[in-house]
Amino acid sequence: RELRRLLAAGLQPDPQTVADLRSLMQQFRLDFLNALDFPPKNPEARRHLSDKEIFTSQGKTELSEADVQKAIALSDQLDLNEVYCVELLQTSYLETGRVSVEAATGIYLEERLSLVESLFKLFEFQMLYAKEGERAVARSELLKDVSSFNLGILSEVSQDNKSALLQRLLTLMRKESAVGGGPLGSQEVVSYQYGSIVGSKAHFLQQEQVWLSRCFFYGTMIANASFKIDRASLFCDNVQSALSLLVDKCKASEEESAGKASSGQATLQQLYYLCFAIVASLTPSDSASLQSNLRHEAGKDAVLRDQMDSIAEGVSSGLLGLVLLAWGVLQVELHCTGGNLAQNPKWAAYLRAALKAKIPPQPGKPVDAPSDVFWYTAEGIFGSVTFGDEAPDMKDACANVVHSTVVYFLQWVEKDAQSGSMLLGTSSTYYQDDHVQMGQVLGSVLTLLASLYRVDLDLHVKCAALNPLMHHGAERQPESSTFVPLLDLYTSLATGTRGATYIFNKLLNPSPSVMGGSPPSWSGLYAALWEYCSLFKQEEIPAMKEDEATTLAAYLELLAHVLENGSPGDIPQWLGQLQSLDLQILAPHHRDFAHDNGYRPLFPLFFLQQQAIPAKLKGALLIAARSFAPISNASLAEQVWKFLESSRLLADIPKDGSTSMPIDIRYQLAEVEARAEEYSSTLAFLKLLNRLLMSSQTFHTMLHSYVRFVRESVLAPLMSRGYKDKEQKWDLARECLTFLELTLQGFNIDEVDMEDGKLVLDRVAPLQTLQDFLSRGPGCQAIITIIQTGVNQLIEEKHAGVSGYKAELAIESALNLLMSVFQRDVTAANKFNQVGPTYARSYKSMEKHMQHRDIWTILGYVRYHFSPTIQVLALQIAQILEERIPELVSILLSPQVAESSGSKSTQQLVHAFAECLQDSLFKPVSTGGARGPGTADEDTRAALILNLLLRPLAAKRQGPNLTHLLLGFNLEAGISNTHIDIMSFSPLQVITEALYQFKCHSHWPREVEQMLRLLSGLLSDPATSGATLELIRSLENNYFMDVLHVALIHPIPHGSPDRIYYIWQIKWILQIHATALHRSLSEVQQDKEDCGKLLRGLIGDAVKSEAATLPYCAILMALQLCKDALRHEKPALKQDMRLIHLQRQMQVNLLLSAPELVSEGGVRAMTDRGVVVYHIPTLGGILARFFKDLEVNCGWSIDSEERMRANEVLQETLRYAQSHNAFSQIAHAIQEFLSSWEQLVSVAFSRHDSIAMEIQLAPTGCTGFQSLLALATASLEGLSFVSSTSNAHLSQPLARVTNVLMASVLKHTKDVVAAGGLYQGISSDTLDVQSCHKFFTVLVNCLSKPSDKAVRQHLYGSLIFFLLHTKGTK
């Protein structure tokens, strides 16, 4: 974590960061070099264990018999030194609160993983800036240090004269199950970082292997760029060892996957990183300038040549084919002068072997799909989900290596045209005996380049052969083996506004063909579309051929991609150009059909939906239609709506009782796609609907029909249908849920009048969606089924990598939709039930339809730390359920709910909430709805969890409630009998840790206030006060002082919205102290010491203040903070003679003085803390209406002076209302703070043996009477200040505090006199004259100001106490 934090500082950090990183790298240098070299089992160490007393790095340790047995079990499982195992068990206790073999295993595995990850982070940091070369190193001290360190450890040579680190990495990858295999492979392990089960041991070890292979790939790249010719033998050794390992792993992978669909994600990652490291060593590259002579040495290496000869005999793996290709080109470079391959058949043999290799087809691909090395690399690696999950920088590095290899190959192909056309399979002789379709290799090269440019478009500038290659592909149109890949390549190049514009114009005005071919053009696309429309209309063809459909689908994908990436301003012009294309190539009768339909580019896209064409093409047509409706252009979206509705894609179901189904999208789904288990056209239709709803805000007449179709035909049977591609299931789910969510977006149920005779419930889309949910209809049940996937299965899907990301998005959409329904369900249910007997179904709010298991599953998603957005939605729903379901805790504890035993499940839930809170506070990320970079939303998870914990306490829900359950109270033994083990991982542990670290994280003012409020609430509740008091006593002396320090020392700007949280923080700290003292004050000596400890923090510990020269005690500074907060007088509405008549006409004063809440027709609202404020949206709406009325009645023009003044009145009133709201809440917070201060004083000073008398007041060090008088003076100064402002109501608590303090002064005077102490003048234990004068002056000043009767009464009482004291002490 520390390494990651230091590297995150970028190229130009502060000098301290550079120094810290330098020190950290040196500290772990040996650990990196001896990667994962942990001490092995040792008989001597095992004998020591039996003594029950050993020395570890933490000192002398005594062991019980159980500890010894656990250490031995751990040693046997992990093949580790016994003493080291004792240390692991000690760490497991410190981190999780128990001595656990599972937790110790997790700690060990994570330690291994974090070491390899750290090494990777160092390599990655250098690689990120490798493109900038020397310039980046020259201007960054940090990069210079990291590069120097990396090169240092990569240059270390082992005893047998090999590259120490890279060979070590290869050895570890060869061992694979370095931590023992067998039955333990599936053992669950506990992660100490989160305290919860995060996966199996096998999963950890797989991840370790992946990180090792990443380190090897980046390490090789760095070494290649830095090694000189004198390192040639090291270089060749590394390539040999890596190749030997790759061959073995490919073989093992083939055997492993013989009975399965494909190898696992982790295996594939290891294989391609190894392959790319080897290829990078054989290929010239500009990013890491690998020395040519080093490559040439490798090319001449006899051992490598033997290995390559062996591979060339029968290439069955695409990765080995790629290595052979790079080796083959290297041999041609070394031996074929001028690149003439025909004259040097020996050296071209490797190339031929690589290109002729028959690689088994990819899972899910047709058996006759191309299977050469280029196609495999495009589809099997860059097109795989595994590669899609990689980090962007890793993808770029891999794409760069492969692109360099392809460019390297093409550069030799270009040198010899004859050999080149042979190699690319465009001459008819070369592959004759191999059944390779003509032009297939060229097509595969184009496909691979398309895949690479999708990863990194900038690579295309490095390919000099790109234009000739595209030209070559365009000349051979009849062969779709080159034409479709060429369209695919165009699609990749049309990324971004610039690329889209270039490709659009290229196809609008294509270059004329030289060889009679027909290059891609928009005219070619639309000529084909119109021709098919005409042929189907005249019934001249029964159906479309599959290969023609494939070409058209690729064309349409290109069109859609160009329109999606084009500039919004260009789209209308482009659509005009598509409508006026030159279609001379069409036969006259086909052209007439196009003319009759106005050449409108959208027409064929919808017309062909009704014809006998493959489902995939129907999907491509709809996706193209979707791109005609950009989100930013509502008028274009309206055009698409019209085409959609006129195309009758969703036909009306006949009302005559006929059972025949019309041939429409329903039929397509049920009869065609469901049988083929492939749903591309339905998916495209849903995407089109969603785009139209996003682009055009008006609801359309047909929308209710689409809602029914989505709900009943797609969503309801979704989870029970079969799918060839599992990802499609989750894609369909997500699109359906997004559609239903969009129908509810912006819909206000309050504004619907159910008594309106024109309202037909079934024809209003949002009402239809709500009806389904509130009667647990088919759509509602389907969504609940999706949510019931559950967190465990979702984590499994995520690790499997095949469809995890898509499943995650679908569940996020389901929770989002559920949240939208929860916001409207109560009102909607009431309205629906009022309509009467016409609608016989009974409508209930959402929680009443949910079964116990559904509730448990939703709360379980808090454990899904891969997606903060899912966690946020689960927490928001949990808040609603907590409020609405009184028996929520009983439901969560019921045995039929949990998947494992009750206590284990509850513990998992506690851990999940603790982990989520910890992540949100210490590793915050964006939790906004938008995914991906650029979202700057704050992480709200911590605030939501703390709010959920506070709710039951605030509502005084009877225990055991959700707060007790989630904080880990023992619900079986009884809440009041709980002992809080602060070592046990729970939200309470995270809260205490967060408060302890608050000094370093002062950006959490809101969360810290919630934490303190929670502790105060637990302390005030009789059931939990004992355990909480015990917890507070166990904390360090100055624990709360650190929190106070942040609030008091750093001056908070007046305008900061966080100011109020700091005042509340101080209030809760004082309240916690007051309650703790009240509960502690007994005759027990220990309790007295605890009270002294608490009070010393507030009164006796000096707080260093940067604002003042002297340190202050916390209480005096807190009073000062509140005075500062009130310095800005209560805001008043600006009185301007120019505006008064308009204020009267707009009824401003009447509106602002009305006390009614919004629900009563007024403009006021109540905050969650009970403060009445103005409801700005309502106030703004009413003022805007008055403004509009005046504008119409007075006939103001847009620039009339009177209109501008009226607008000024509106703005000024809203500004005043906002200031008033802020001030009211600050004043209320201060009132609450003073109430707690009063309670604290009453408890601390009311007893005659008050501990407070013994505490030395900061900063003077004086005790007893002087402390009391100083605090009383501060209270009077506060009172003097507030009585002269509009906050006179704050005077009473301050007057009462002064009275209590002065009564205490008198009481202690009498105690001293009664004890026989006669005062001759002033002694050190009593008051000095200066303090007396100061107090007396302030008191008289307060009495001279007007104040209410109660305040004066307390002030006169204080005066009498003061006089009696001074009389008693002479």
Side-chain angles (χ1 to χ4, degrees):
R1 276 206 293 265
E2 183 63 6
L3 189 83
R4 187 172 295 173
R5 184 184 71 76
L6 294 169
L7 291 175
L11 284 179
Q12 304 287 347
D14 57 83
Q16 187 58 48
T17 301
V18 177
D20 289 349
L21 184 66
R22 211 173 276 155
S23 154
L24 199 67
M25 290 191 298
Q26 286 312 316
Q27 185 186 337
F28 287 101
R29 181 185 167 87
L30 277 177
D31 296 272
F32 289 140
L33 273 171
N34 307 321
L36 307 184
D37 189 10
F38 288 88
K41 281 201 285 192
N42 182 328
E44 189 64 29
R46 188 161 291 212
R47 271 200 300 280
H48 275 308
L49 285 189
S50 57
D51 300 341
K52 310 276 179 67
E53 191 176 280
I54 60 166
F55 285 90
T56 68
S57 58
Q58 295 177 16
K60 186 176 169 184
T61 304
E62 292 183 2
L63 304 171
S64 68
E65 183 56 37
D67 293 338
V68 171
Q69 292 309 316
K70 283 179 180 175
I72 290 172
L74 195 61
S75 171
D76 289 341
Q77 283 177 17
L78 303 174
D79 190 25
L80 282 176
N81 185 285
E82 290 74 3
V83 176
Y84 181 65
C85 288
V86 172
E87 292 186 2
L88 283 172
L89 289 166
Q90 284 177 324
T91 312
S92 83
Y93 177 72
L94 290 173
E95 297 292 348
T96 64
R98 59 191 195 284
V99 180
S100 152
V101 174
E102 292 85 3
T105 307
I107 289 164
Y108 171 63
L109 293 174
E110 284 190 341
E111 199 170 313
R112 292 176 66 95
L113 206 54
S114 65
L115 185 76
V116 186
E117 276 189 60
S118 300
L119 178 62
F120 173 76
K121 284 284 163 199
L122 288 168
F123 287 169
E124 180 189 48
F125 189 76
Q126 182 175 348
M127 289 295 295
L128 282 176
Y129 300 103
K131 287 179 185 174
E132 296 181 40
E134 294 301 317
R135 284 181 303 125
V137 179
R139 65 173 209 271
S140 169
E141 194 69 27
L142 192 69
L143 183 56
K144 204 178 292 176
D145 282 347
V146 171
S147 303
S148 166
F149 177 81
N150 288 344
L151 187 57
I153 56 174
L154 287 166
S155 301
E156 287 276 348
V157 178
S158 60
Q159 290 173 341
D160 54 354
N161 214 27
K162 292 184 182 291
S163 178
L165 180 57
L166 291 177
Q167 291 290 342
R168 172 78 183 147
L169 293 173
L170 290 169
T171 306
L172 288 166
M173 286 159 73
R174 193 175 280 285
K175 280 166 83 174
E176 194 142 350
S177 53
V179 195
L184 262 170
S186 59
Q187 174 203 342
E188 283 189 331
V189 292
V190 173
S191 155
Y192 82 93
Q193 191 180 349
Y194 297 124
S196 59
I197 292 165
V198 290
S200 66
K201 183 176 163 191
H203 170 67
F204 266 105
L205 298 179
Q206 281 178 345
Q207 288 306 302
E208 183 184 295
Q209 288 287 307
V210 172
W211 284 108
L212 286 167
S213 60
R214 285 176 178 149
C215 286
F216 182 76
F217 173 51
Y218 268 0
T220 302
M221 301 275 279
I222 292 167
N224 288 354
S226 316
F227 280 7
K228 300 288 183 282
I229 193 66
D230 58 344
R231 298 274 177 153
S233 64
L234 284 182
F235 177 80
C236 292
D237 277 344
N238 292 340
V239 180
Q240 290 163 18
S241 305
L243 184 57
S244 164
L245 180 59
L246 179 64
V247 170
D248 293 347
K249 280 193 171 279
C250 283
K251 201 171 178 183
S253 171
E254 280 168 30
E255 288 165 8
E256 181 194 329
S257 62
K260 291 191 270 174
S262 63
S263 305
Q265 185 176 8
T267 309
L268 181 58
Q269 284 172 298
Q270 289 172 59
L271 291 176
Y272 63 61
Y273 283 129
L274 266 176
C275 167
F276 294 159
I278 298 164
V279 168
S281 304
L282 303 174
T283 308
S285 161
D286 60 334
S287 66
S289 51
L290 172 57
Q291 309 256 325
S292 286
N293 41 15
L294 271 180
R295 286 192 309 108
H296 294 164
E297 289 300 314
K300 296 168 192 167
D301 187 89
V303 178
L304 259 177
R305 185 172 303 142
D306 291 344
Q307 286 177 298
M308 294 294 182
D309 287 341
S310 157
I311 293 170
E313 285 169 17
V315 185
S316 58
S317 155
L319 292 165
L320 292 175
L322 190 60
V323 171
L324 202 57
L325 179 79
W327 174 261
V329 185
L330 177 57
Q331 296 309 308
V332 170
E333 180 189 353
L334 285 171
H335 302 285
C336 303
T337 327
N340 192 331
L341 308 185
Q343 294 170 9
N344 296 276
K346 179 185 173 186
W347 303 113
Y350 295 111
L351 215 45
R352 199 173 296 116
L355 293 171
K356 285 190 175 185
K358 297 293 286 179
I359 293 148
Q362 287 302 104
K365 301 289 176 191
V367 184
D368 59 347
S371 56
D372 55 78
V373 64
F374 297 109
W375 178 265
Y376 168 81
T377 310
E379 293 295 317
I381 300 176
F382 289 95
S384 67
V385 177
T386 307
F387 187 79
D389 280 349
E390 293 287 4
D393 296 317
M394 286 303 287
K395 288 186 192 176
D396 287 354
C398 295
N400 201 357
V401 167
V402 174
H403 188 259
S404 298
T405 310
V406 177
V407 170
Y408 188 34
F409 166 71
L410 291 174
Q411 135 193 344
W412 288 98
V413 161
E414 267 193 298
K415 287 194 178 179
D416 180 353
Q418 185 188 350
S419 304
S421 60
M422 279 163 49
L423 290 172
L424 289 171
T426 53
S427 74
S428 53
T429 53
Y430 193 62
Y431 292 105
Q432 230 165 5
D433 308 329
D434 298 281
H435 311 292
V436 174
Q437 191 181 349
M438 199 166 166
Q440 179 182 302
V441 178
L442 170 61
S444 299
V445 171
L446 293 169
T447 302
L448 176 54
L449 288 173
S451 297
L452 295 171
Y453 298 151
R454 271 197 290 276
V455 176
D456 183 2
L457 185 59
D458 293 342
L459 288 174
H460 81 275
V461 296
K462 299 177 185 175
C463 185
L466 186 61
N467 277 325
L469 206 62
M470 292 197 296
H471 192 67
H472 207 39
E475 290 294 353
R476 325 188 65 80
Q477 191 207 357
E479 307 162 17
S480 75
S481 64
T482 61
F483 197 70
V484 171
L486 179 63
L487 292 172
D488 195 21
L489 179 57
Y490 279 178
T491 304
S492 293
L493 293 172
T495 302
T497 310
R498 194 171 159 195
T501 307
Y502 168 74
I503 294 291
F504 182 84
N505 291 326
K506 186 177 177 68
L507 269 74
L508 192 65
N509 307 300
S511 357
S513 170
V514 182
M515 294 166 58
S518 159
S521 67
W522 299 133
S523 300
L525 166 64
Y526 268 94
L529 289 173
W530 284 114
E531 183 176 340
Y532 277 114
C533 288
S534 173
L535 289 169
F536 280 118
K537 182 74 176 169
Q538 309 300 327
E539 298 181 356
E540 291 178 28
I541 54 167
M544 186 185 289
K545 291 178 185 170
E546 196 69 44
D547 57 338
E548 292 171 355
T550 304
T551 306
L552 267 179
Y555 241 139
L556 289 161
E557 189 184 336
L558 171 60
L559 175 64
H561 194 75
V562 167
L563 292 176
E564 289 289 352
N565 279 272
S567 159
D570 290 341
I571 305 295
Q573 181 193 340
W574 288 2
L575 298 185
Q577 288 170 316
L578 290 176
Q579 191 160 350
S580 52
L581 287 169
D582 178 10
L583 298 177
Q584 291 305 315
I585 48 174
L586 267 179
H589 64 292
H590 297 326
R591 204 160 54 245
D592 291 343
F593 179 77
H595 178 269
D596 294 343
N597 289 287
Y599 295 104
R600 289 173 297 173
L602 271 166
F603 179 86
L605 307 183
F606 286 103
F607 179 83
L608 288 170
Q609 291 295 324
Q610 309 281 5
Q611 314 309 325
I613 60 174
K616 221 163 194 156
L617 179 57
K618 287 190 175 184
L621 288 161
L622 290 172
I623 291 292
R626 169 177 174 258
S627 64
F628 280 70
I631 290 177
S632 55
N633 194 322
S635 64
L636 286 177
E638 286 297 326
Q639 288 178 33
V640 182
W641 266 121
K642 283 173 187 161
F643 267 103
L644 176 61
E645 298 199 345
S646 63
S647 67
R648 314 297 292 163
L649 274 185
L650 203 59
D652 291 330
I653 296 170
K655 293 180 180 171
D656 56 3
S658 159
T659 52
S660 66
M661 186 186 271
I663 308 287
D664 65 352
I665 193 104
R666 273 192 217 95
Y667 178 87
Q668 173 78 13
L669 171 61
E671 298 298 319
V672 181
E673 292 189 314
R675 288 181 184 177
E677 297 188 347
E678 208 284 329
Y679 303 88
S680 45
S681 76
T682 303
L683 192 54
F685 181 65
L686 291 168
K687 286 182 176 176
L688 171 63
L689 285 177
N690 287 338
R691 170 59 63 82
L692 292 175
L693 279 179
M694 283 182 220
S695 308
S696 167
Q697 294 305 310
T698 51
F699 284 137
H700 282 255
T701 49
M702 288 277 291
L703 190 61
H704 64 278
S705 309
Y706 298 133
V707 170
R708 186 175 291 115
F709 163 72
V710 168
R711 203 178 60 224
E712 294 171 7
S713 303
V714 189
L715 198 54
L718 181 91
M719 300 302 269
S720 56
R721 282 204 172 108
Y723 297 88
K724 269 185 189 166
D725 179 357
K726 202 174 173 185
E727 283 183 56
Q728 266 198 342
K729 172 176 78 175
W730 296 118
D731 282 337
L732 280 169
R734 187 186 179 205
E735 294 300 334
C736 288
L737 297 164
T738 304
F739 173 73
L740 294 176
E741 164 73 14
L742 285 168
T743 63
L744 288 177
Q745 212 170 65
F747 175 70
N748 189 348
I749 183 71
D750 294 314
E751 293 172 0
V752 175
D753 179 11
M754 291 291 181
E755 306 302 322
D756 184 355
K758 294 175 187 171
L759 181 74
V760 182
L761 280 178
D762 288 343
R763 287 191 170 272
V764 179
L767 292 179
Q768 212 185 339
T769 304
L770 287 170
Q771 272 189 308
D772 178 85
F773 268 95
L774 304 189
S775 59
R776 201 176 167 93
C780 173
Q781 289 175 37
I783 288 158
I784 295 292
T785 309
I786 291 168
I787 289 171
Q788 274 174 356
T789 301
V791 67
N792 289 338
Q793 195 182 327
L794 188 56
I795 289 173
E796 270 177 43
E797 297 246 7
K798 186 80 176 173
H799 288 332
V802 181
S803 54
Y805 180 65
K806 299 285 179 77
E808 187 181 289
L809 291 177
I811 282 164
E812 184 185 312
S813 300
L815 293 171
N816 216 1
L817 176 57
L818 195 58
M819 192 65 205
S820 287
V821 174
F822 267 124
Q823 287 162 353
R824 302 168 172 87
D825 62 340
V826 175
T827 312
N830 291 338
K831 290 203 171 208
F832 290 152
N833 288 325
Q834 284 165 13
V835 173
T838 325
Y839 301 94
R841 287 177 291 183
S842 169
Y843 296 101
K844 296 177 192 165
S845 58
M846 210 43 231
E847 78 282 356
K848 292 175 182 158
H849 291 299
M850 294 174 87
Q851 294 169 0
H852 292 182
R853 188 167 155 243
D854 305 335
I855 293 167
W856 177 265
T857 306
I858 288 170
L859 282 177
Y861 281 117
V862 174
R863 191 153 63 90
Y864 192 70
H865 55 86
F866 297 104
S867 166
T869 314
I870 285 180
Q871 291 179 309
V872 165
L873 288 163
L875 289 167
Q876 287 171 336
I877 294 170
Q879 287 194 358
I880 294 169
L881 296 175
E882 191 284 323
E883 194 178 319
R884 295 189 187 179
I885 305 177
E887 66 282 6
L888 182 61
V889 171
S890 314
I891 290 171
L892 293 174
L893 292 174
S894 61
Q896 70 269 29
V897 165
E899 291 158 23
S900 47
S901 69
S903 60
K904 190 177 176 188
S905 301
T906 312
Q907 189 185 22
Q908 259 192 9
L909 201 61
V910 171
H911 281 170
F913 274 79
E915 174 196 330
C916 186
L917 182 62
Q918 190 178 52
D919 275 359
S920 180
L921 291 171
F922 295 102
K923 294 184 277 183
V925 293
S926 161
T927 54
R931 303 180 71 93
T935 51
D937 299 310
E938 58 178 318
D939 192 329
T940 55
R941 291 174 294 170
L944 284 167
I945 289 175
L946 293 165
N947 197 24
L948 184 63
L949 293 170
L950 282 166
R951 274 167 172 265
L953 297 179
K956 294 191 166 49
R957 298 207 205 291
Q958 198 175 347
N961 56 41
L962 194 62
T963 308
H964 304 137
L965 174 74
L966 295 178
L967 289 180
F969 280 84
N970 189 332
L971 306 188
E972 290 169 12
I975 304 161
S976 50
N977 298 329
T978 299
H979 161 71
I980 297 173
D981 180 6
I982 204 58
M983 297 312 297
S984 178
F985 190 63
S986 72
L988 213 46
Q989 188 205 43
V990 176
I991 286 169
T992 51
E993 180 65 19
L995 290 173
Y996 187 67
Q997 293 194 28
F998 182 45
K999 257 187 176 170
C1000 317
H1001 296 274
S1002 50
H1003 53 274
W1004 302 331
R1006 179 183 174 193
E1007 288 83 354
V1008 166
E1009 188 264 321
Q1010 288 174 300
M1011 292 174 200
L1012 293 168
R1013 187 178 176 187
L1014 180 65
L1015 286 175
S1016 178
L1018 290 170
L1019 203 52
S1020 305
D1021 181 351
T1024 53
S1025 63
T1028 315
L1029 188 58
E1030 202 180 319
L1031 169 69
I1032 286 170
R1033 284 174 179 167
S1034 72
L1035 301 171
E1036 289 181 29
N1037 243 350
N1038 58 350
Y1039 182 80
F1040 290 107
M1041 285 304 298
D1042 280 350
V1043 182
L1044 270 176
H1045 199 273
V1046 176
L1048 299 176
I1049 301 310
H1050 305 293
I1052 311 140
H1054 171 67
S1056 166
D1058 292 338
R1059 174 182 286 270
I1060 191 164
Y1061 294 125
Y1062 289 111
I1063 296 169
W1064 279 106
Q1065 280 174 28
I1066 300 167
K1067 180 249 170 357
W1068 296 122
I1069 289 175
L1070 297 184
Q1071 190 64 54
I1072 288 167
H1073 281 72
T1075 313
L1077 286 174
H1078 177 66
R1079 300 221 180 262
S1080 298
L1081 282 175
S1082 65
E1083 297 305 317
V1084 184
Q1085 187 59 34
Q1086 176 60 45
D1087 287 351
K1088 285 192 173 184
E1089 284 172 17
D1090 290 333
C1091 295
K1093 191 171 84 172
L1094 282 171
L1095 280 170
R1096 198 168 294 110
L1098 289 171
I1099 301 169
D1101 287 354
V1103 179
K1104 285 280 181 211
S1105 166
E1106 285 133 34
T1109 48
L1110 279 172
Y1112 249 88
C1113 86
I1115 284 296
L1116 299 182
M1117 288 188 70
L1119 288 166
Q1120 188 59 44
L1121 178 89
C1122 292
K1123 277 167 69 175
D1124 290 347
L1126 287 172
R1127 283 221 182 272
H1128 296 266
E1129 231 339 78
K1130 187 175 181 179
L1133 188 60
K1134 188 172 162 188
Q1135 297 296 325
D1136 187 330
M1137 293 307 292
R1138 297 175 307 118
L1139 308 176
I1140 282 178
H1141 67 291
L1142 287 166
Q1143 284 176 340
R1144 203 177 298 119
Q1145 285 173 294
M1146 289 169 74
Q1147 302 180 33
V1148 169
N1149 292 337
L1150 196 66
L1151 270 176
L1152 293 177
S1153 57
E1156 290 84 10
L1157 297 176
V1158 172
S1159 54
E1160 300 159 348
V1163 292
R1164 306 248 182 175
M1166 191 174 285
T1167 68
D1168 57 350
R1169 299 193 202 262
V1171 186
V1172 176
V1173 293
Y1174 291 114
H1175 189 254
I1176 303 294
T1178 306
L1179 179 63
I1182 294 172
L1183 287 171
R1185 200 166 68 239
F1186 288 160
F1187 175 83
K1188 282 284 175 204
D1189 291 347
L1190 273 176
E1191 188 178 34
V1192 172
N1193 297 338
C1194 303
W1196 292 332
S1197 65
I1198 196 78
D1199 51 0
S1200 81
E1201 198 172 325
E1202 201 70 343
R1203 185 183 183 280
M1204 287 157 82
R1205 283 180 186 165
N1207 190 45
E1208 193 181 333
V1209 167
L1210 191 151
Q1211 300 299 332
E1212 196 55 48
T1213 308
L1214 290 178
R1215 208 173 292 122
Y1216 160 75
Q1218 283 167 329
S1219 307
H1220 178 276
N1221 288 357
F1223 186 83
S1224 301
Q1225 291 179 78
I1226 289 270
H1228 175 255
I1230 290 173
Q1231 189 175 356
E1232 286 292 317
F1233 156 80
L1234 291 174
S1235 161
S1236 296
W1237 166 222
E1238 185 183 348
Q1239 285 180 49
L1240 180 68
V1241 167
S1242 302
V1243 174
F1245 297 101
S1246 56
R1247 293 169 59 99
H1248 72 102
D1249 59 345
S1250 171
I1251 303 126
M1253 292 299 291
E1254 298 160 19
I1255 293 170
Q1256 296 187 334
L1257 175 72
T1260 55
C1262 52
T1263 58
F1265 294 121
Q1266 290 158 319
S1267 303
L1268 290 169
L1269 198 67
L1271 296 171
T1273 308
S1275 289
L1276 276 180
E1277 284 174 334
L1279 189 150
S1280 172
F1281 171 74
V1282 297
S1283 61
S1284 61
T1285 69
S1286 53
N1287 296 281
H1289 60 287
L1290 300 178
S1291 303
Q1292 278 200 24
L1294 286 164
R1296 286 195 295 269
V1297 165
T1298 311
N1299 201 32
V1300 170
L1301 288 165
M1302 293 315 294
S1304 188
V1305 167
L1306 183 61
K1307 190 188 296 178
H1308 290 293
T1309 310
K1310 286 178 178 173
D1311 289 348
V1312 173
V1313 172
L1318 277 164
Y1319 289 85
Q1320 302 300 322
I1322 307 291
S1323 81
S1324 61
D1325 289 325
T1326 59
L1327 308 173
D1328 62 283
V1329 176
Q1330 195 180 352
S1331 300
C1332 289
H1333 280 174
K1334 185 174 181 187
F1335 174 81
F1336 190 59
T1337 309
V1338 178
L1339 180 55
V1340 171
N1341 185 31
C1342 288
L1343 280 166
S1344 67
K1345 290 180 182 175
S1347 54
D1348 67 28
K1349 188 178 173 184
V1351 171
R1352 296 181 72 76
Q1353 195 175 328
H1354 290 305
L1355 291 178
Y1356 279 123
S1358 300
L1359 178 58
I1360 290 166
F1361 292 143
F1362 173 70
L1363 295 172
L1364 286 170
H1365 169 80
T1366 50
K1367 181 187 175 194
T1369 55
K1370 308 271 195 310

